Amino acid sequence: MPDSLSPDLSQATSLLHSVFGFGAFRPGQEEIVGAILRGENVLAVMPTGSGKSLCYQLPALVRGGVTLVVSPLIALMRDQVRALTAAGVAAGSLNSSNDPAETARVLGLLRRGDLRLLYVAPERLARPDTIEMLAESNVSMMAIDEAHCVSQWGHDFRKEYLELGSVARQIGGRLQTIAFTATADAPTRTDIVDKLFAQPPRVFVRSFDRPNLRLAFKPKERSSKQVLAFVRAHEGESGIVYCASRRKVEELAETLKEAGVRALPYHAGLDKAVRDRNQDTFQQEDGVVMTATVAFGMGIDKPDVRFVCHADLPANVEAYYQEIGRAGRDGLPADTLTLYGMGDMQLRRLQIEQGDLSDERKRIERQRLGALLSLAEAPRCRRQTLLAYFGESSEPCGNCDLCQEGVERFDGTIDAQKAMSAIVRTGERFGMEHLVSLLRGDRTENILKYEHERLPTFGVGADRKASEWRSIFRQLSALGLIAQDLMEHGRWWVTDEGWQVLKGKQRIELRKDLAPAAGARGERRGRPAASAVVDDGDLVLFDALKALRTRLAQQQGVPAYVVFSDRTLAELASHRPTSPRAFREIHGIGDAKLERYGAAFLEVVQKHAT
Ligand code: ADP
Ligand code: ZN
């Protein structure tokens, strides 16, 4: 029977509407739900924000019995349970942070056979008493979230995940298993299949395109100024600023605070209580900027993060994609900016080379870093370059800095020759800062020590700023004309291709964005993105609805989006429903929310009737 006619799938579709308040499936969801309902084991690879949770939540409701959801992230479990409960679904979690009353409630529901979704941390699940209890309950399937945690290739390996296959067998013989991950690369995917499934599952891979995310990179200059300009352009919106070190997290949080931004720090060195408090504030309130190391984010399920800024270069393309993916999960426009500098690149290379990794692993890491650098220096649409890395081909997106602002090019042959002759004349023994001083004719201590002020190259590049020369070095490196030896203090040398240019046998073009344009974008933006979806005439009502949402959320001690998403408020402000029936038609409003919030929100809409 085709999917469209299966009674289970049509029941799932009506639950999509009545419980979650969504008008339609997102791309990919329907096929996955269909396969799960037919009893297949499934691995779904989907980008963050594409709506994985619904893929197991709907079958769980259609099926009956209890669906186990394995997740390593306690904060995320808590949020999902809250959101499901608010939608009228019997859900609960078992984890170390529950109070006894909550655990009793969950076990009571389970015993009576009323529980539909049980979220459980892997270490809790592996306990013999948990397994015994679940073996006696009516468990219908096991959904494994963040399935890449089973792979040693990934950045989030957790050894408890290795037990999940055997746990599933102990609970239910051939318990149906469905696994989800947002990690796309091939070695990780193969590992997941090997370690979680006895037989190869049905694999779904969703497009990694997230068209609502604007992509942009800029060479790093004064990074705190650049970050501040970017954050200011997003006043009043929730966002994340990622930094490479704890110290920088603290410094940037201070800088932003001094500028009047509501910024909070987050890193592993902070007291756990402080960390948790900052995370809660970020989750629950509007317009907080989290300045964080990458320790922050994996458990963040906040749909209305409007921007992500990397103050330092991310670790690799995978990490970059995961981190920017935390913005715009609600599908509304979100903005990203990544700052990259030569120092960052050197540091990353060193971390790989000197790290305690196998040769095979180092090779993979080098590739991943190389892909990120190509993305930073991309000559064409960034999204095309990014998607190409994930094996997808696409058209220019029109929503990245390169599509919108273009890259101007110029004949860079002479500059390249100057830079390379500086390398050659100093015996291919020096790093970039020294070479830049030489080109610019700066009499630094080292220049004088080596008597480099006597070289013919001394000062030939005085017409360019140091930052411009750094960009030229970076581009020559991306073009493969020069290379760096990291084991020897990052000394540069000229490759065979480079010699072709140096000898004048070949000309080259360089990108013109040599001078950084901090904040250039910010000034052009009028309104913050959250209200980009709200017409001017609806803004007053939108703000009033937001105020009501904040009040209700505070009363109930839940994050604002658990009440309603930004998109729901935006639709309310523009459609202005006057009856419960019309209210129910709005995105994100199901039966439970109609009953709970209908009257209060309708009253606000009524007051603004024109
Ligand atoms: P993921 O786990 O893939 O990162 P989530 O499951 O958290 O993503 O979903 C991201 C957001 O998209 C959530 O706010 C969710 O409510 C919303 N969403 C999911 N499916 C749909 C749909 N079919 N229509 C509208 N919104 C959806
Ligand atoms: Zn583009």
Side-chain angles (χ1 to χ4, degrees):
M1 202 188 290
D3 278 353
S4 56
L5 299 178
S6 115
D8 277 356
L9 195 60
S10 56
Q11 196 188 342
T13 311
S14 80
L15 290 170
L16 177 72
H17 194 56
S18 65
V19 175
F20 297 95
F22 299 147
F25 283 110
R26 287 216 181 129
Q29 287 179 327
E30 187 167 10
E31 297 131 77
I32 295 172
V33 169
I36 295 172
L37 287 173
R38 284 194 302 273
E40 293 185 55
N41 287 337
V42 165
L43 166 62
V45 184
M46 299 168 86
T48 307
S50 56
K52 284 188 283 291
S53 333
L54 210 70
C55 294
Y56 57 79
Q57 289 167 351
L58 280 175
L61 299 185
V62 173
R63 269 296 178 68
V66 59
T67 292
L68 297 177
V69 184
V70 182
S71 166
L73 307 161
I74 290 177
L76 185 123
M77 287 191 213
R78 190 188 56 195
D79 291 339
Q80 295 242 345
V81 169
R82 273 176 179 166
L84 285 166
T85 309
V89 174
S93 69
L94 287 180
N95 65 58
S96 51
S97 77
N98 274 4
D99 60 37
E102 173 61 9
T103 303
R105 177 187 79 90
V106 173
L107 294 180
L109 284 168
L110 182 65
R111 235 174 273 120
R112 288 195 300 278
D114 290 337
L115 194 65
R116 288 288 84 85
L117 286 128
L118 178 60
Y119 286 77
V120 50
E123 55 279 6
R124 175 67 172 254
L125 182 59
R127 266 168 38 179
D129 57 328
T130 313
I131 294 179
E132 195 179 326
M133 176 182 74
L134 292 172
E136 287 162 12
S137 311
N138 181 18
V139 176
S140 50
M141 60 184 172
M142 175 152 93
I144 302 170
D145 205 2
E146 314 288 352
H148 58 274
C149 290
V150 79
S151 168
Q152 263 134 326
W153 294 125
H155 31 85
D156 301 311
F157 174 62
R158 299 187 185 227
K159 64 179 188 321
E160 305 84 28
Y161 263 65
L162 292 171
E163 319 262 325
L164 291 177
S166 117
V167 169
R169 279 190 295 281
Q170 295 175 63
I171 292 173
R174 305 177 64 127
L175 187 63
Q176 185 181 359
T177 301
I178 53 188
F180 296 87
T181 180
T183 296
D185 62 8
T188 313
R189 220 182 285 166
T190 316
D191 234 13
I192 296 175
V193 170
D194 287 350
K195 298 201 172 114
L196 290 181
F197 296 92
Q199 247 99 55
R202 179 90 184 269
V203 179
F204 294 89
V205 182
R206 276 311 310 159
S207 167
F208 273 69
D209 195 8
R210 299 271 316 274
N212 63 317
L213 299 186
R214 182 180 190 274
L215 309 178
F217 280 66
K218 279 198 188 343
K220 191 191 280 190
E221 260 313 287
R222 309 261 311 272
S223 68
S224 60
K225 270 202 163 161
Q226 289 171 291
V227 171
L228 182 58
F230 182 72
V231 170
R232 278 213 169 117
H234 293 277
E235 205 182 319
E237 301 177 3
S238 306
I240 306 173
V241 177
Y242 282 115
C243 307
S245 70
R246 296 174 185 184
R247 193 172 54 97
K248 182 135 175 204
V249 166
E250 298 280 353
E251 284 171 7
L252 258 181
E254 274 313 307
T255 308
L256 291 175
K257 262 190 248 168
E258 278 164 22
V261 176
R262 182 116 196 271
L264 296 171
Y266 188 103
H267 59 70
L270 288 171
D271 225 31
K272 184 169 180 326
V274 175
R275 229 163 47 210
D276 289 351
R277 194 172 62 229
N278 289 354
Q279 171 160 345
D280 282 347
T281 310
F282 177 74
Q283 289 271 104
Q284 312 226 358
E285 294 178 26
D286 283 335
V288 177
V289 177
M290 194 65 117
T291 312
T293 57
V294 292
F296 177 72
M298 198 186 164
I300 300 308
D301 194 16
K302 188 175 167 64
D304 57 355
V305 174
R306 292 268 73 85
F307 65 89
V308 167
C309 177
H310 281 97
D312 298 301
L313 192 73
N316 53 49
V317 174
E318 276 295 326
Y320 165 74
Y321 186 77
Q322 292 281 333
E323 285 148 17
I324 60 166
R326 288 168 190 143
R329 283 179 172 219
D330 52 11
L332 297 179
D335 205 0
T336 76
L337 173 66
T338 303
L339 300 178
Y340 63 100
M342 209 62 211
D344 290 345
M345 299 184 188
Q346 285 177 3
L347 185 67
R348 295 281 180 241
R349 287 209 176 99
L350 267 182
Q351 283 167 344
I352 296 172
E353 299 312 327
Q354 299 185 340
D356 195 12
L357 302 171
S358 68
D359 286 349
E360 165 76 349
R361 179 70 191 266
K362 279 186 183 168
R363 197 178 52 74
I364 292 179
E365 292 303 324
R366 265 184 230 122
Q367 267 174 19
R368 284 174 165 169
L369 176 62
L372 182 67
L373 300 187
S374 316
L375 186 60
E377 302 284 359
R380 56 166 189 176
C381 171
R382 285 206 205 276
R383 194 176 319 268
Q384 274 186 316
T385 312
L386 178 64
L387 291 175
Y389 173 77
F390 292 124
E392 291 179 43
S393 60
S394 60
E395 295 298 304
C397 73
N399 190 27
C400 72
D401 53 350
L402 297 181
C403 280
Q404 290 170 348
E405 292 151 28
V407 265
E408 250 189 281
R409 295 159 165 281
F410 67 99
D411 185 330
T413 311
I414 306 274
D415 287 305
Q417 287 170 338
K418 287 180 184 171
M420 289 190 284
S421 87
I423 295 174
V424 172
R425 297 266 185 191
T426 52
E428 302 189 318
R429 287 188 296 123
F430 291 86
M432 187 163 63
E433 288 313 311
H434 186 79
L435 296 168
V436 169
S437 305
L438 173 65
L439 284 161
R440 293 198 14 91
D442 296 335
R443 291 170 191 277
T444 64
E445 205 174 304
N446 270 339
I447 293 281
L448 298 176
K449 177 169 148 201
Y450 293 103
E451 302 191 344
H452 283 168
E453 78 280 11
R454 298 179 168 197
L455 294 174
T457 346
F458 183 74
V460 293
D463 55 329
R464 289 203 177 280
K465 288 189 267 184
S467 63
E468 297 178 344
W469 280 114
R470 287 189 202 105
S471 168
I472 291 170
F473 276 93
R474 209 156 44 222
Q475 295 191 52
L476 295 179
S477 158
L479 289 168
L481 303 182
I482 60 176
Q484 206 177 11
D485 193 336
L486 288 164
M487 292 299 121
E488 288 181 63
H489 326 292
R491 69 177 189 95
W492 286 97
W493 51 278
V494 176
T495 65
D496 290 347
E497 294 80 25
W499 275 102
Q500 297 298 308
V501 177
L502 192 53
K503 289 191 215 144
K505 295 198 173 142
Q506 207 180 309
R507 306 196 72 81
I508 57 148
E509 290 204 319
L510 293 175
R511 288 170 47 144
K512 208 163 186 180
D513 59 352
L514 297 178
R521 227 181 92 56
E523 289 138 29
R524 257 184 292 124
R525 277 180 76 116
R527 255 182 351 200
S531 50
V533 285
V534 184
D535 286 341
D536 284 340
D538 299 332
L539 266 177
V540 176
L541 175 54
F542 182 71
D543 286 340
L545 294 168
K546 240 173 147 175
L548 174 60
R549 176 178 74 175
T550 305
R551 211 164 59 238
L552 291 170
Q554 275 167 359
Q555 277 167 13
Q556 297 163 27
V558 299
Y561 65 81
V562 167
V563 176
F564 281 138
S565 68
D566 280 358
R567 170 148 173 218
T568 301
L569 296 190
E571 282 196 15
L572 281 172
S574 90
H575 298 349
R576 308 195 173 211
T578 50
S579 66
R581 221 189 134 122
F583 187 76
R584 175 69 179 65
E585 289 307 308
I586 300 289
H587 168 92
I589 300 178
D591 294 334
K593 291 200 176 172
L594 168 63
E595 191 173 318
R596 190 152 187 189
Y597 303 125
F601 281 90
L602 280 168
E603 192 187 317
V604 172
V605 174
Q606 187 77 46
K607 270 197 205 138
H608 288 76
T610 42

